[in-house]
Amino acid sequence: MELLLAVLVGALVAAGAYLMMSGRTLPYLFGLTMISNAANLAIFATGRLTFGKPPLVPGDAETLAGAANPLPQALILTAIVIGFGLLVFALALALKSYRGLGTDDIDAAAAEERT
């Protein structure tokens, strides 16, 4: 299962990097979101994926063999909420930039700012 997740993380990073190199604002933001989701998936995979076992150790047991680690799950939940807020803010900023400059091409907007 971890191998499948590693391949999926690699595919998400590759697709995100491809989108970020397009030179346009909207695909850049989607690529950034894909790389963020790939990082979340990689952190999730480090928490040990187990089926049919609780992520928490009962109070009377010192350890539970093969239990999942709940810390990466909590970190990812926080990262998803922060990532969504960042995406919405960046989309609003991109819309304002498009309305002000009339283009979503990053290079054209930078050239227009220099003149």
Side-chain angles (χ1 to χ4, degrees), residues 2-93:
E2 283 83 8
L3 179 64
L4 177 65
L5 287 177
V7 170
L8 184 59
V9 166
L12 282 173
V13 168
Y18 177 77
L19 285 174
M20 289 179 74
M21 289 186 272
S22 70
R24 303 184 69 89
T25 306
L26 198 58
Y28 182 87
L29 293 176
F30 289 149
L32 185 65
T33 303
M34 288 179 82
I35 290 178
S36 172
N37 287 335
N40 289 342
L41 193 58
I43 293 170
F44 182 69
T46 63
R48 200 171 347 153
L49 302 172
T50 57
F51 295 104
K53 293 188 180 176
L56 301 174
V57 178
D60 58 345
E62 289 187 23
T63 61
L64 184 64
N69 187 0
L71 183 62
Q73 297 172 16
L75 289 174
I76 290 168
L77 183 60
T78 305
I80 288 170
V81 172
I82 291 171
F84 181 71
L86 177 67
L87 176 65
V88 170
F89 174 73
L91 285 173
L93 194 61

